[in-house]
Amino acid sequence: CALPILSQPNTKKTKRDSSTETDDETTNEVSVLSSINNKLSILELLHTDLKELKASFEFSQAQIETLMLENNELKGTVKNLSTQVTNLTKESQIMKETMLDLQCRSMRDNLIFSGISMLENIPDDPEKALKDFMFESLKLSDTTVKEITFHRVHRLPSKDPTKPPPIIAKFEHYKHKELLKSRGKHLRGTKFGMNDQFPKEIQNRRRILVPIMKQFREKGKRATLSVDRLYVDGKLYLDRNVTTWL
């Protein structure tokens, strides 16, 4: 009986397939390694970026702290300057009030008369015109008029060319000035006027206070004006919106 002939295995094909599988595995491993390397590179870049961001943040934080310190110093400087300005403003106001007080004192013996005409056909003599006014309009006796003496008497520039220039007189004796003021009732309803002389600033303050004084008087209050101060029933009138100089 003849034995069957067995076919021989194809060893060449098996070796080729095994080699292919090995190559594929190697390729996969290389691909994985390459991917890992890429990710590591990315991680390194991210780490570098984070370090740079951290350094930048720390630098910015340092700058902020420096700016805050400088800002605090500036606040202190501004506060000091503000205090200095406030003090200078107060000192300036005190100096202003002192100057006004000195001006008022220098004008204490002065009276300004308005409405007294200049003498006709002869050179103007303000003192003679004033004494005639005292006798004729203030109803003072001739003897009293002769007793009243002045340091000086002269006319001021007239703001209205249709009216005679006002006369300003500086009395030698304060009591004579007060005597004339006490005769002011004789000038009511006439063209004449007689007033104390004050610096312009004081005049402006008095213009504010006079209407208020009249309102209090209409209400039956005892209101008097002394220079730039209003007294109502013996008490100094104060209003932050009005008497800003007090």
Side-chain angles (χ1 to χ4, degrees):
C1 173
L3 295 173
I5 300 173
L6 298 174
S7 61
Q8 296 292 327
N10 191 347
T11 57
K12 291 185 179 180
K13 183 177 180 182
T14 302
K15 290 181 179 178
R16 189 179 300 116
D17 292 340
S18 176
S19 176
T20 301
E21 290 176 0
T22 302
D23 289 343
D24 290 341
E25 290 176 358
T26 302
T27 301
N28 289 335
E29 290 175 357
V30 170
S31 177
V32 169
L33 289 174
S34 177
S35 175
I36 291 171
N37 286 334
N38 289 335
K39 290 179 179 179
L40 287 173
S41 298
I42 292 172
L43 285 173
E44 288 179 359
L45 289 173
L46 289 173
H47 181 67
T48 302
D49 289 344
L50 284 173
K51 286 176 66 177
E52 291 178 353
L53 284 172
K54 181 181 178 182
S56 177
F57 174 78
E58 291 175 350
F59 178 74
S60 298
Q61 186 68 24
Q63 284 188 316
I64 290 171
E65 290 176 358
T66 301
L67 289 172
M68 288 178 67
L69 289 173
E70 292 177 352
N71 185 50
N72 289 334
E73 290 176 359
L74 284 173
K75 283 182 178 179
T77 302
V78 169
K79 185 177 180 180
N80 289 335
L81 288 173
S82 178
T83 301
Q84 291 179 13
V85 169
T86 300
N87 291 336
L88 286 173
T89 302
K90 289 180 180 179
E91 290 176 5
S92 176
Q93 185 64 26
I94 291 172
M95 289 180 63
K96 177 182 177 181
E97 295 301 318
T98 300
M99 290 297 296
L100 284 172
D101 181 64
L102 290 173
Q103 286 180 304
C104 288
R105 290 176 184 273
S106 70
M107 298 175 177
R108 179 175 179 269
D109 299 325
N110 297 1
L111 276 179
I112 297 177
F113 302 86
S114 58
I116 300 177
S117 300
M118 301 178 70
L119 300 177
E120 297 180 1
N121 302 322
I122 59 173
D124 186 45
D125 184 346
E127 184 171 338
K128 183 179 185 311
L130 180 55
K131 290 209 168 189
D132 289 345
F133 165 79
M134 293 178 189
F135 178 76
E136 296 171 4
S137 299
L138 295 180
K139 312 302 180 184
L140 291 173
S141 67
D142 185 58
T143 303
T144 302
V145 170
K146 288 179 180 179
E147 290 176 350
I148 295 175
T149 54
F150 308 96
H151 284 294
R152 56 184 173 274
V153 180
H154 63 90
R155 287 191 183 271
L156 297 171
S158 178
K159 297 180 180 179
D160 187 346
T162 64
K163 297 179 180 180
I167 293 175
I168 180 170
K170 187 174 186 65
F171 293 81
E172 284 189 350
H173 302 286
Y174 184 75
K175 63 180 182 179
H176 290 158
K177 173 190 171 181
E178 291 300 297
L179 171 64
L180 265 65
K181 288 179 66 176
S182 69
R183 310 288 289 186
K185 59 186 178 181
H186 294 289
L187 301 182
R188 291 172 186 168
T190 70
K191 66 175 182 177
F192 301 110
M194 179 173 59
N195 298 284
D196 289 292
Q197 185 187 23
F198 294 106
K200 186 176 180 180
E201 175 70 20
I202 300 298
Q203 290 179 19
N204 292 336
R205 294 176 183 179
R206 288 173 66 87
R207 288 192 187 99
I208 295 172
L209 293 175
V210 166
I212 299 173
M213 178 182 68
K214 290 180 178 179
Q215 290 176 6
F216 278 117
R217 287 180 175 178
E218 290 173 357
K219 295 177 182 178
K221 302 286 186 179
R222 181 168 55 86
T224 56
L225 188 59
S226 177
V227 190
D228 60 349
R229 286 164 170 74
L230 175 62
Y231 293 89
V232 181
D233 290 337
K235 295 182 180 180
L236 179 63
Y237 172 78
L238 294 173
D239 187 323
R240 291 182 179 179
N241 297 323
V242 179
T243 54
T244 55
W245 56 90
L246 296 178

